[in-house]
Every structure is written in C-alpha cells, then in structure tokens.
Amino acid sequence: MFQMLGTPAIPSNSVPGRHVISGKTMGTRYSVVFYSEFNFDAEALQRELQEAVDRVDEQMSPWKADSILCEINRMEPASWIDLPDETFEVCEAALLTCVESEGAFDPFVGDLVSAWGFGPETDAPDLSKTKQLQGDWNSRKREVEFDRKNRRLRRPASCRLDLCGIAKGYGVDRLSQVMHRWGLPDHLVSIDGELRASGRKAGGSGWQVALEAPEANVRREALRLEVSDVAIATSGTYRKSRNAGGRTVSHTMNPQSGAPVNNELLSVSVIAENCMTADAWATAYMVMGCEKALAHAQHAGLDAIFVVRTPLGAVDVLATDPELLSA
C-alpha cells in the first residue's frame, strides 16, 4: 500500500505552517498533514474530521451491529430501506463499478467474506460453507433494486452487502472535503494507506508517498512518487490472509469463482481523481488479473501500478504509464 513519507504518529508543528492531525477510525487510523500560516481552531477542525469518518464507519461497518449496512443485511430481501446520503453515494458508486467491471467488483460478497474467515463473525474459514457457496455462487440472484429517485435500496435474496472495498476510500474523500471547507486546500489525507493529495507542500513541491514492497511481515519502500491533486488506493494479497485447508488465502474475493483471488497479482495501486473510485478499481483489478486489468486501466484512462509474481517466483512491477516507475 502507499504510505505518507515523514509523517509522525503524533501532532507536530516542527516545520513552519505544517500541521498534523490524526485519530482512530475503521479499525485503524486516519492522518491529515497540511500547511497553513493562518490561525485556526485545531480542536474544532479535528472534531469535524473525526465526525466525517465516524459517519462513514457508523453507516458502513460490518463490525458495528447498529450500522446501516448491518441493518440492510438483517432485513428481509423484499424490504426497502431508505439510505442516508453517505451510504447512498457509496452504494451508487459500488453498483456502477460492478457493472463497468463486469462483476469483478461486487458489493454483495458479504457471505463469501464471512465464510472465508474475513468477516466479523470469525477469523477461521468455514470450508464446508465455502464449498457450498462456490457451488452455487454464479447461479444466485444478485441483482439489487436501487431506487435513485427515492434514495433507497432493496438487497438481493440471500446475498449480504459488503462495502469494505470502497468505504475506506470514500472516508478519505470525506476528510479532504472537510479540509477544503476549512479553506485548507494544501493537504495530504490518508486512512491506512489509502490517500488523497491536494495542492502542494510549502515551497511548491508535491507530496511524497511511498509504495510498500509486497511483503507480509516487513514494511519496506519499493517505489516513491511525488503527487498532487490525485487519490491513490492499493489492494493486495500480502497483508490480510488466512490459512484455509493448508493454503494461504487473501481477503479479496473473486465474485466469479466464489473464492479468494488466486492469480499473479500481489498488489494493485490505482491513481484517480477521488479515493472512492481508486479504492473500488484497485479491488476490481485484483480480481481481473494483470493482463485484463492493465488493458482496462489504459482504456479507462486510469493510472495503475501492478506488482506481480512471475512464473519463476520473482517480483515484477508494471504500470499503465512507465514514467510512474521512474519517478
């Protein structure tokens, strides 16, 4: 995943006009780095930033029993549910990405996520359940009824909603929106490696971010980029995994097979105008595999970086634009 460079874990104003605010969200932390020579109410800003990510987490977390997402998954499939603005926006984007990716990104993989041990119920895969799901996944009814006019949703029968492949990116966008409302356009915001860079650092240079090497137990820089006015999200197989029947499986589900992704990709980083879009397509590209994903990204005009395992076991890095690798 991409990480900010040189960002302390606690607030620091060691550079004139440089400020850092961080806090807890979505089982991890958010961080906001920005420059301002003007006086502002730091406590009020942090409170608004926290409220923004809390709203996303409280609505879309599968780990919070009272979230909107959990309420949707408890309801009878024939029932409609009115959606708050944030959930409506994310569901609309998720369903659009599902169509455009031909199902590679599917927000209704909640049952698969749980069966393979990555949901809130347990961290141990239920192999009998996974086999059952794999056997009939493609034949299950997954068409969602989404009423844009009345901003409501009716979920498909026997399929649970899961927004983990897009909600974190949306949370990053919400943090950036807060900063712009406060008149602080030069900022770098992130949630656990998903980030959005706006404006520039003091002095006019872009924001420095680093792509981690795809190694499970080591945090090592593999690539460094200087960015401005873009968002970056990364999906990979090397951080969240489980042992299932003697083999290691990833948390990213392949909706077509009903099983975790199993291809040559170790990670995908997508660069887009907003982090919600980058987050969703990073997940979709992990499912597609390198060749198909690279072709799609080039056609769609999305910059992407692919870290792949070669047939001989080496690690290679490819990109839609080779200049990304020479930055």
Side-chain angles (χ1 to χ4, degrees):
M1 64 181 66
F2 271 95
Q3 298 286 358
M4 300 178 180
L5 290 177
T7 301
I10 58 175
S12 171
N13 297 326
S14 58
V15 178
R18 182 179 186 275
H19 307 271
V20 179
I21 294 175
S22 64
K24 296 180 179 180
T25 187
M26 304 182 195
T28 182
R29 297 190 68 83
Y30 72 87
S31 182
V32 181
V33 183
F34 61 101
Y35 289 86
S36 175
E37 299 296 340
F38 303 100
N39 292 327
F40 61 92
D41 188 335
E43 290 186 1
L45 174 57
Q46 180 158 19
R47 187 163 54 248
E48 190 168 336
L49 289 166
Q50 188 69 55
E51 289 173 353
V53 290
D54 283 349
R55 281 186 63 82
V56 178
D57 198 25
E58 290 164 0
Q59 291 182 32
M60 304 176 213
S61 173
W63 283 271
K64 295 181 182 296
D66 58 349
S67 70
I68 297 296
L69 181 139
C70 288
E71 183 180 350
I72 292 170
N73 288 335
R74 283 193 300 266
M75 293 178 64
E76 290 296 323
S79 302
W80 287 98
I81 182 170
D82 295 327
L83 302 176
D85 291 344
E86 293 86 351
T87 303
F88 174 84
E89 188 174 349
V90 172
C91 284
E92 184 176 43
L95 293 168
L96 178 62
T97 307
C98 182
V99 173
E100 293 181 346
S101 67
E102 298 180 339
F105 180 91
D106 188 337
F108 287 95
V109 293
D111 291 319
L112 290 176
V113 170
S114 292
W116 285 97
F118 296 100
E121 299 88 356
T122 177
D123 60 2
D126 183 341
L127 297 182
S128 62
K129 182 66 172 178
T130 62
K131 289 180 180 178
Q132 175 189 340
L133 289 173
Q134 284 178 274
D136 65 359
W137 185 255
N138 285 321
S139 65
R140 299 174 78 190
K141 181 182 178 182
R142 284 178 283 166
E143 293 80 12
V144 62
E145 294 183 74
F146 189 65
D147 183 350
R148 288 181 173 84
K149 180 179 179 180
N150 296 301
R151 305 175 76 83
R152 59 181 186 164
L153 175 145
R154 182 155 57 186
R155 71 179 176 89
S158 304
C159 288
R160 287 192 293 166
L161 183 66
D162 186 300
L163 298 173
C164 290
I166 190 172
K168 192 180 294 182
Y170 179 73
V172 170
D173 291 333
R174 298 291 291 182
L175 290 172
S176 184
Q177 289 169 11
V178 171
M179 298 301 291
H180 280 289
R181 283 200 300 270
W182 275 68
L184 299 167
D186 299 310
H187 57 260
L188 178 62
V189 299
S190 77
I191 300 177
D192 192 28
E194 320 289 34
L195 58 89
R196 184 164 176 169
S198 176
R200 293 185 171 272
K201 296 168 62 176
S205 63
W207 298 95
Q208 293 281 326
V209 296
L211 175 63
E212 291 182 349
E215 300 169 4
N217 300 314
V218 178
R219 291 191 179 274
R220 179 173 61 84
E221 180 181 322
L223 177 70
R224 181 178 298 200
L225 297 179
E226 183 175 309
V227 295
S228 179
D229 297 322
V230 295
I232 308 176
T234 301
S235 182
T237 61
Y238 57 94
R239 284 280 178 253
K240 298 177 184 178
S241 60
R242 296 279 186 271
N243 183 287
R247 66 188 181 99
T248 300
V249 297
S250 163
H251 71 289
T252 302
M253 296 295 121
N254 182 337
Q256 281 90 10
S257 67
V261 294
N262 183 23
N263 56 43
E264 74 283 8
L265 283 172
L266 296 173
S267 74
V268 179
S269 297
V270 174
I271 303 172
E273 292 184 359
N274 63 75
C275 204
M276 178 171 64
T277 297
D279 199 5
W281 280 107
T283 301
Y285 288 163
M286 281 297 301
V287 173
M288 288 182 183
C290 188
E291 183 178 356
K292 185 176 180 180
L294 182 59
H296 182 281
Q298 290 172 329
H299 179 75
L302 289 173
D303 282 327
I305 298 171
F306 304 89
V307 181
V308 301
R309 180 80 66 186
T310 69
L312 297 178
V315 175
D316 197 7
V317 182
L318 305 173
T320 50
D321 181 355
E323 291 189 4
L324 289 171
L325 306 181
S326 59

